[in-house]
């Protein structure tokens, strides 16, 4: 029987029945930001009510930190998760099957390592999404760390003239949405990216405001752990032209510092497939 996989992000929540590396059915609901965990889980449950009995175990990947089955936000601006929400306990009670929980980017890292663009490598997964998330698979092992923090690249502090900010304050989808709105010229990140592809100088400068700090972070990670590759996912990370910009920005680095960027082969399903596979471990 397939595994029920759920992926709660800052913008959308995906649910799927996953069989190995195959998503056999998928549903999507918006994550109602201010609703809180109960409302988020209610929306999921309603959208998959007809799947009951089709799975014997569940895995849930979430934006935020998981430790001992409890869920907390690191950056409530991405999603305001209350501190220490007993996610595994609540979901086990609701679904009546064993539940495994992990951070969304860690789950996607594992999916890409097992079945996607990072197979057989030491890899860093980076999602450029509502926030910036990350996951490390080194020596065939997914790192979660002492308290679930491992890989939280979006929380790295950048020291820029504007003041110290988290990487994801300047380099994520929500930052580009603010840039687009602030310019008054573009409706959102997709339009801004399209204009940058077309060579509009203002659009290029705004997009590079996200690309540059991401490449700097990747360069730092290359120095620290020297991975074989960086697998890039997320709505913005996988948007047309974004990866090319990362590569172009990195091209000036000396070869041994230069991160190798690859597109997530599993696309938006990396977290679902990864967390489903973690259930079986
Ligand atoms: C934030 C953090 C990470 C998450 C990343 C990407 C919260 C709520 N989330 O850095 O745990 O992996 O965003 O999340 O603190 P996404 O929702 O953008 O996919």
């Amino acid at each position: 029987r397939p595994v029920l996989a759920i992926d709660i992000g800052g913008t959308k929540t995906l649910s799927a029945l996953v069989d190995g590396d195959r998503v056999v059915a998928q549903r999507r609901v918006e994550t109602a930001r201010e609703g809180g965990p109960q409302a988020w889980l209610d929306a999921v449950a309603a959208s998959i009510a007809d799947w009951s009995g089709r799975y014997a175990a569940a895995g849930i990947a979430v934006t935020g930190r998981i430790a001992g089955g409890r869920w907390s936000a690191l950056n409530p601006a991405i999603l305001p998760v209350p501190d220490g929400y007993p996610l595994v306990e609540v979901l086990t009670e609701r679904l009546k099957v064993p539940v495994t929980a992990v951070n969304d980017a860690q789950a996607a890292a594992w999916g890409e390592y097992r079945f996607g663009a990072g197979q057989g490598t030491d890899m860093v997964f980076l999602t450029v999404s509502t926030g910036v998330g990350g996951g490390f698979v080194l020596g065939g092992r997914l790192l979660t760390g002492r308290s679930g923090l491992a890989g939280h690249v979006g929380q790295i502090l950048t020291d820029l003239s504007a003041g110290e900010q988290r990487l994801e304050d300047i380099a994520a989808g929500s930052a580009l949405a603010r840039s687009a709105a602030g310019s008054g010229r573009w409706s959102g990140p997709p339009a801004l990216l399209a204009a940058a592809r077309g060579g509009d100088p203002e659009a290029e400068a705004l997009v590079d405001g996200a690309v540059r700090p991401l490449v700097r972070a990747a360069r730092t990670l290359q120095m620290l752990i020297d991975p074989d590759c960086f697998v890039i996912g997320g709505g913005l990370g996988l948007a047309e032209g974004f990866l090319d910009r990362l590569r172009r920005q990195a091209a000036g680095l000396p070869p041994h510092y230069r991160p190798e960027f690859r597109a997530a082969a599993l696309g938006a399903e990396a977290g679902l497939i990864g967390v489903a596979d973690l259930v079986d471990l």
Side-chain angles (χ1 to χ4, degrees):
R1 270 199 290 174
V3 169
L4 170 63
I6 301 167
D7 186 345
I8 302 184
T11 304
K12 63 175 193 296
T13 296
L14 301 176
S15 305
L17 292 172
V18 179
D19 188 359
D21 63 346
R22 242 168 19 92
V23 170
V24 296
Q26 192 177 150
R27 302 273 160 81
R28 177 195 162 119
V29 294
E30 301 311 306
T31 308
R33 289 188 52 79
E34 305 309 325
Q38 209 59 47
W40 304 328
L41 296 177
D42 284 346
V44 168
S47 75
I48 62 166
D50 58 315
W51 289 354
S52 117
R54 288 185 64 188
Y55 50 85
I60 182 164
V62 291
T63 185
R65 182 175 71 91
I66 292 287
R70 289 176 175 270
W71 183 19
S72 309
L74 285 165
N75 183 356
I78 304 301
L79 193 66
V81 183
D83 216 34
Y85 181 79
L87 180 64
V88 167
E89 191 187 311
V90 170
L91 208 56
T92 306
E93 174 61 30
R94 286 187 80 135
L95 299 172
K96 315 275 186 234
V97 295
V99 172
T100 302
V102 66
N103 164 264
D104 58 355
Q106 290 169 353
W110 185 248
E112 288 292 330
Y113 171 74
R114 288 275 290 141
F115 305 111
Q119 292 177 55
T121 69
D122 278 340
M123 59 163 277
V124 170
F125 177 83
L126 289 180
T127 175
V128 192
S129 178
T130 315
V132 172
F136 301 157
V137 181
L138 302 176
R141 215 168 68 85
L142 172 67
L143 301 193
T144 51
R146 179 181 60 178
S147 59
L149 271 180
H152 270 89
V153 177
Q155 310 304 311
I156 289 176
L157 296 178
T158 60
D159 192 21
L160 298 175
S161 47
E164 198 160 51
Q165 296 178 298
R166 310 178 199 217
L167 177 64
E168 69 187 4
D169 293 337
I170 51 176
S174 28
L176 273 199
R178 275 194 304 277
S179 300
S183 76
R185 292 181 61 199
W186 297 287
S187 55
L192 176 58
L193 273 175
R197 281 199 302 279
D200 182 285
E202 186 188 356
E204 290 205 281
L206 290 174
V207 174
D208 282 346
V211 166
R212 225 174 304 113
L214 281 170
V215 171
R216 289 172 60 94
R219 175 191 183 279
T220 300
L221 290 169
Q222 193 69 48
M223 303 301 292
L224 292 176
I225 56 181
D226 203 15
D228 296 306
C229 65
F230 287 74
V231 178
I232 306 297
L236 180 56
L238 293 174
E240 192 186 341
F242 196 82
L243 194 59
D244 288 340
R245 277 183 186 276
L246 288 179
R247 289 189 176 124
R248 234 176 298 143
Q249 182 71 40
L253 296 172
H256 54 288
Y257 296 3
R258 191 184 307 147
E260 183 194 323
F261 294 112
R262 302 182 185 173
L266 307 178
E269 295 177 349
L272 292 168
I273 291 171
V275 78
D277 193 67
L278 287 167
V279 164
D280 291 330
L281 289 185

